[in-house]
Amino acid sequence: MVNGYVDLRSDTVTQPTPAMREAMARAEVGDDVFNDDPTVHRLEEMAAARMGQEAGLFVASGTMGNLAALLTHCRRGDEVIAGDRSHTITSEQGGMAALGGLVPRPLPNQPDGTLRLEEIEAAIHGEDTHHARTRLVTIENTHNFVGGVALDAAYTRAVADLSRRRRLKLHIDGARIFNAAVALGVPAADLVGGADSVTFCLSKGLSAPVGSVLCGTREFIAEARRARKVLGGGMRQVGVLAAAGIVALQTMVDRLAEDHANARRLAEGLAAMPGFVVDLSRIQTNIVFFDLSPDVPMDAPEVQQRVARQGVLLMAMGRRRFRAVTHAGVTAEEIGRALTAVAKVMA
Ligand SMILES: *Cc1c(COP(=O)(O)O)cnc(C)c1O
């Protein structure tokens, strides 16, 4: 439960654990713009180690981390290849164009969350003066809007090889990279092999109140620190937040398996109910997309409202589609309760 609801809108609704609050209260801090905050340094080192990268940069959000990465890798007028359903394209206000002068080049996300290698290859512009120069490819793992699907290490490695060969940078939006790692049973670093940078969120399934970490080479991170500052992300005694992030990395990664089991429970329950269509093959981590069948007279916002009156929060995404996300604030028993509430509304 979160604030009295079985809240399945997002894993961002997770609350800091008691251990996080304690660590926050006790955190040793300094002015992080002066590079003086030891707790931030600790988090950044831990994060970089988990990602197999040289250095890390604590940022306010995943959006800020992705934008700081793109601003650092690219110059104004450069083109960025990204999935058409990626968070960067659909849900970051076009920041790369609006604030960075970068040209988005969306390619179709496949049902498994990938971009086709041959489509990436075909989209790359060279030095012809008609074209924006292609500078970077970004992929997302897990892929949120394709259904929380996990991209495996071999695919990422193939994109990294292609990028290197064609002199492009590769950025991974790993907002939920630990969900992918847990689902695939590999260390997160294996899913970042060959990438030039990666961001991951502390504030989603890992339950920290604030923040993401951008990781890459030492040289890249030194430049990204400048980008973070111009975006207004230079924070001062921010070790109070980093302290929660450290606890998140130490205590909240392995338990993600529980969220994945709950997502499966939820998806199977919904699939067994009349009125819904669920693609169970896409239920790989903690995200469950499902649709109203054509014969249901209610639309998704109405179902959402009625289910909310039963104490369960879903997210309607358009007229016929929902997203439900499992997380540390929802138990297996509460998944049962959510299914009962939904069945009542659909009856
Ligand atoms: C949540 C999310 C982000 C970043 O979101 P913030 O709310 O800015 O932290 C980036 N990418 C993906 C795939 C996400 O799901």
Side-chain angles (χ1 to χ4, degrees):
M1 300 274 273
V2 181
N3 298 327
Y5 285 91
V6 178
D7 191 343
L8 298 167
R9 290 173 301 168
S10 176
D11 46 10
T12 55
V13 304
T14 43
Q15 304 243 330
T17 64
M20 286 180 198
R21 289 184 183 268
E22 204 169 300
M24 292 171 79
R26 281 212 292 246
E28 200 186 326
V29 297
D31 187 329
D32 187 50
V33 175
F34 295 166
N35 228 336
D36 274 351
D37 191 305
T39 306
V40 172
H41 290 164
R42 245 182 89 214
L43 170 64
E44 290 174 342
E45 280 164 25
M46 277 177 70
R50 294 294 289 254
M51 293 297 130
Q53 304 284 323
E54 285 178 9
L57 185 70
F58 185 51
V59 289
S61 67
T63 300
M64 181 181 280
N66 285 337
L67 183 54
L70 267 47
L71 292 179
T72 304
H73 286 306
C74 305
R75 286 188 302 180
R76 296 185 72 80
D78 284 346
E79 197 166 71
V80 171
I81 292 175
D84 61 353
R85 301 173 75 185
S86 66
H87 194 277
T88 300
I89 293 288
T90 66
S91 305
E92 296 173 16
Q93 274 190 33
M96 74 165 95
L99 303 180
L102 306 179
V103 183
R105 183 79 185 278
L107 298 182
N109 274 120
Q110 301 303 307
D112 63 358
T114 63
L115 306 177
R116 286 209 173 105
L117 296 176
E118 54 277 20
E119 290 189 25
I120 296 175
E121 188 99 45
I124 298 169
H125 289 141
E127 290 302 316
D128 183 327
T129 54
H130 290 88
H131 298 144
R133 278 192 181 119
T134 311
R135 186 75 63 190
L136 178 138
V137 181
T138 178
I139 57 175
E140 183 174 314
N141 199 7
T142 62
H143 202 292
N144 184 346
F145 297 130
V146 171
V149 295
L151 278 55
D152 66 20
Y155 173 74
T156 305
R157 179 55 72 180
V159 178
D161 289 347
L162 187 164
S163 303
R164 190 130 307 155
R165 183 159 49 74
R166 298 300 305 267
R167 295 171 193 280
L168 305 180
K169 299 293 182 187
L170 172 60
H171 173 69
I172 298 182
D173 177 357
R176 295 187 182 81
I177 194 105
F178 288 109
N179 292 90
V182 166
L184 296 166
V186 299
D190 286 12
L191 301 176
V192 185
D196 296 287
S197 55
V198 57
T199 45
F200 70 85
C201 290
L202 296 161
S203 60
K204 294 186 171 168
L206 302 189
S207 304
V210 178
S212 288
V213 188
L214 170 62
C215 299
T217 63
R218 253 181 264 292
E219 195 187 358
F220 167 80
I221 291 298
E223 276 303 302
R225 191 176 295 279
R226 288 185 61 82
R228 182 185 68 175
K229 187 70 168 73
V230 79
L231 294 174
M235 299 182 281
R236 304 294 177 172
Q237 286 71 30
V238 70
V240 291
L241 298 179
I246 290 170
V247 176
L249 280 177
Q250 288 170 334
T251 65
M252 301 301 280
V253 173
D254 294 337
R255 64 150 306 286
L256 292 172
E258 215 177 294
D259 301 342
H260 300 174
N262 281 338
R264 178 136 295 270
R265 211 165 267 136
L266 179 67
E268 285 173 355
L270 291 166
M273 257 178 233
F276 294 118
V277 181
V278 193
D279 179 354
L280 289 174
S281 75
R282 300 234 193 144
I283 314 301
Q284 300 173 12
T285 61
N286 67 328
I287 297 180
V288 178
F289 276 92
F290 56 105
D291 294 288
L292 283 173
S293 352
D295 55 299
V296 174
M298 290 179 284
D299 65 10
E302 186 179 349
V303 172
Q304 173 189 280
Q305 251 180 21
R306 291 188 184 205
V307 171
R309 277 186 232 123
Q310 308 287 324
V312 176
L313 303 181
L314 300 172
M315 193 183 268
M317 312 268 282
R319 305 310 298 174
R320 308 294 295 174
R321 176 154 259 232
F322 302 91
R323 190 185 73 170
V325 184
T326 57
H327 51 76
V330 184
T331 63
E333 188 260 320
E334 285 160 2
I335 293 295
R337 223 186 302 166
L339 285 168
T340 306
V342 173
K344 198 166 156 192
V345 167
M346 300 299 284

